[in-house]
């Protein structure tokens, strides 16, 4: 395919605006041709800043624009499946933010649609695979540097400073609950690193700092223990009450060693010495921590379209991680050990 890939994006919120800016200004072989949002001020801001040719308040209308080559989905999670299927049927390459979907039936429908449009590039936004540290860890595991991986331990903690915003959002919207919304990246990494699918899960949690989470039947902090088909183990901690900032940490223990990524979520090399001791500031959110990965994953999506090849992260990765997330949710709600649907 010659020339620049013309992209239309739906969703210009916390993450959508980062994707939109990357597409509009940081990737030379694509252009941001259309934007879609239900928030008028977001549309106006982007039009003013980047002079985008087309804007829409209605997603279906954007899909009638035949100048576009690809659709980028950064809308709330409940819309992903429907919007992916519509965009594929309309003949576009599609990138969708995580999670692929919130229910097992709908992700299977997406898989069918992706398979039915095998000439199109489809990619799900598991950007951690494109983060330099996570990619380096994968290479070391594949090299056999830690022997056989037998246990993965993941922390995915959002800053406590964002808890009020989240609660406001969660009271008006359904995003799948703690495990499907937050641990989904960890589930994808676990499958990637351990080379096996989850079989059994036991998940617990609660609203320890804020009882509103109990009213929402969700957990503010939760933990899941997983057994994989190859008998490897997974321990996943997710939470929305991290006092020190955005903390994403992963450990993979193997038969001959272990690897840790992000043990201290330090913002930079600066250490402040004051009356509280030696202080290292931490990341304040996902954009700051994964800025490079968000750019690299979009570059890969665009290059796949131009080079007529497929990304290594597949719709099946989206389906399997959703199955694991859904099993955790079910275990948390029923207090039972759950077998992950195969
Ligand atoms: P947000 O609530 O900040 O923004 C949502 C955007 O979608 C807004 O621009 C809104 O106008 C638009 N929108 C909502 N309904 C729409 C509709 N019917 N038609 C067109 N536009 C519509 O959401 P946020 O936090 O940016 O999350 C978006 C997605 O990205 C979610 O699925 C979330 O799970 C995912 N996400 C992924 C992250 C990652 O690390 N990969 C990090 C944060 C979010």
């Amino acid at each position: 395919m010659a020339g620049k890939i013309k992209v239309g994006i739906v969703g210009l919120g916390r993450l959508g605006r980062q994707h939109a800016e990357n597409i509009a200004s940081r990737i030379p072989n694509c252009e941001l041709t259309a934007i879609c949002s239900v928030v008028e001020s977001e549309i106006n801001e982007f039009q003013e800043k980047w002079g985008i040719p087309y804007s829409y308040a209605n997603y279906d209308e954007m899909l009638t624009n035949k100048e576009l080559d690809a659709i980028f989905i950064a809308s709330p999670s409940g819309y992903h499946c429907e919007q992916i299927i519509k965009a594929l049927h309309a003949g576009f390459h599609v990138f969708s933010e995580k999670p692929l979907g919130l229910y097992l039936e709908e992700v299977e429908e997406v898989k069918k649609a992706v398979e039915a449009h095998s000439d199109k590039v489809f990619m799900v936004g598991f950007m951690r695979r494109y983060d330099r540290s996570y990619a380096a860890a994968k290479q070391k595991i594949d090299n056999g540097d830690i022997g056989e991986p037998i246990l993965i331990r993941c922390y995915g903690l959002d800053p406590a400073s964002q808890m009020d915003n989240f609660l406001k959002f969660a009271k008006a919207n359904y995003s799948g609950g703690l495990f499907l919304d937050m641990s989904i990246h960890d589930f994808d990494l676990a499958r990637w690193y351990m080379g096996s699918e989850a079989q059994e899960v036991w998940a617990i949690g609660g609203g320890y700092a804020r009882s509103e989470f109990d009213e929402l039947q969700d957990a503010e902090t939760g933990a899941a223990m997983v057994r994989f088909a190859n008998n490897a183990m997974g321990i996943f901690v997710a939470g929305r009450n991290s006092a020190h900032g955005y903390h994403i940490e992963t450990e993979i223990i193997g038969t001959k060693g272990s690897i840790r990524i992000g043990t201290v979520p330090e913002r930079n090399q600066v250490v402040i010495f004051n009356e509280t001791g030696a202080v290292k500031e931490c990341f304040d959110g996902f954009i700051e921590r994964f800025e490079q990965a968000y750019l690299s994953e979009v570059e890969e999506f665009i290059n796949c379209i131009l080079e007529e090849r497929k990304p290594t992260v597949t719709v099946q990765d989206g389906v399997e991680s959703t199955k694991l997330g859904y099993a955790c949710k079910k275990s948390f709600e029923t207090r039972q050990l759950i077998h992950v649907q195969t």
Side-chain angles (χ1 to χ4, degrees):
M1 190 181 262
K4 287 189 176 194
I5 299 298
K6 294 187 172 187
V7 180
I9 188 169
V10 58
L12 296 169
R14 291 185 314 157
L15 183 55
R17 64 176 46 235
Q18 180 74 11
H19 286 316
E21 287 192 12
N22 281 340
I23 295 163
S25 68
R26 298 190 187 99
I27 304 176
N29 50 12
C30 69
E31 64 181 48
L32 188 56
T33 308
I35 51 178
C36 174
S37 167
V38 289
V39 180
E40 202 183 336
S41 59
E42 291 175 352
I43 296 269
N44 294 341
E45 181 197 331
F46 268 79
Q47 289 244 289
E48 221 165 85
K49 194 166 176 197
W50 304 108
I52 314 293
Y54 302 98
S55 69
Y56 303 89
N58 181 300
Y59 178 70
D60 293 350
E61 271 175 34
M62 183 165 76
L63 296 186
T64 63
N65 184 337
K66 296 303 172 198
E67 268 185 50
L68 300 174
D69 301 299
I71 298 294
F72 220 89
I73 298 170
S75 53
S77 305
Y79 292 105
H80 294 178
C81 288
E82 181 193 337
Q83 291 181 340
I84 294 167
I85 292 171
K86 281 183 173 174
L88 285 168
H89 287 338
F92 298 109
H93 303 283
V94 179
F95 179 103
S96 172
E97 256 318 317
K98 65 81 191 163
L100 185 62
L102 299 177
Y103 302 97
L104 302 183
E105 301 74 25
E106 62 174 14
V107 294
E108 292 294 351
E109 289 303 311
V110 171
K111 189 179 160 198
K112 278 188 213 154
V114 170
E115 286 168 356
H117 296 89
S118 56
D119 58 325
K120 299 295 169 206
V121 173
F122 174 76
M123 187 166 171
V124 61
F126 287 138
M127 81 296 175
R128 288 197 201 165
R129 292 190 186 211
Y130 299 89
D131 173 78
R132 284 191 200 103
S133 302
Y134 279 99
K138 171 69 172 162
Q139 271 187 359
K140 294 197 184 310
I141 292 168
D142 289 352
N143 281 345
D145 292 1
I146 60 163
E148 199 61 38
I150 56 166
L151 187 146
I152 183 162
R153 173 183 65 86
C154 301
Y155 289 168
L157 308 175
D158 262 358
S161 59
Q162 291 303 315
M163 194 137 66
D164 283 334
N165 283 343
F166 174 77
L167 278 166
K168 205 167 132 200
F169 170 82
K171 282 173 190 167
N173 300 273
Y174 175 65
S175 63
L178 183 71
F179 297 105
L180 265 169
D181 187 28
M182 286 203 56
S183 302
I184 199 90
H185 288 296
D186 291 324
F187 297 152
D188 179 59
L189 287 177
R191 298 177 50 255
W192 194 44
Y193 287 148
M194 308 315 265
S196 185
E197 297 301 345
Q199 277 200 334
E200 285 174 315
V201 10
W202 186 56
I204 53 177
Y208 302 96
R210 296 286 287 270
S211 59
E212 290 108 303
F213 283 91
D214 298 327
E215 288 153 28
L216 291 165
Q217 292 175 312
D218 196 1
E220 151 239 299
T221 302
M225 188 172 273
V226 172
R227 189 178 65 74
F228 289 84
N230 65 0
N231 217 27
M233 300 165 275
I235 298 169
F236 301 88
V237 177
R240 302 196 188 269
N241 190 28
S242 172
H244 57 281
Y246 180 66
H247 188 138
I248 303 297
E249 178 184 351
T250 310
E251 179 178 27
I252 306 104
I253 298 178
T255 49
K256 292 183 185 160
S258 63
I259 289 176
R260 290 186 188 189
I261 307 140
T263 296
V264 179
E266 55 199 13
R267 166 173 274 166
N268 52 38
Q269 295 292 309
V270 175
V271 186
I272 307 154
F273 297 88
N274 61 20
E275 67 279 3
T276 59
V279 179
K280 299 220 67 174
E281 287 184 348
C282 295
F283 292 119
D284 71 359
F286 53 87
I287 301 288
E288 189 182 22
R289 166 63 183 89
F290 288 110
E291 194 176 2
Q292 169 264 314
Y294 291 125
L295 179 61
S296 298
E297 68 173 353
V298 184
E299 285 171 338
E300 174 63 0
F301 175 64
I302 298 298
N303 287 336
C304 281
I305 298 172
L306 286 166
E307 295 162 16
E308 297 184 9
R309 60 182 175 82
K310 295 289 168 66
T312 52
V313 51
T314 65
V315 69
Q316 190 62 27
D317 294 316
V319 171
E320 295 298 339
S321 53
T322 298
K323 280 185 189 169
L324 177 49
Y326 201 77
C328 287
K329 175 179 153 60
K330 212 164 145 191
S331 177
F332 164 68
E333 286 170 354
T334 61
R335 300 177 171 227
Q336 303 285 320
L337 179 85
I338 298 292
H339 292 268
V340 181
Q341 186 175 309
T342 50

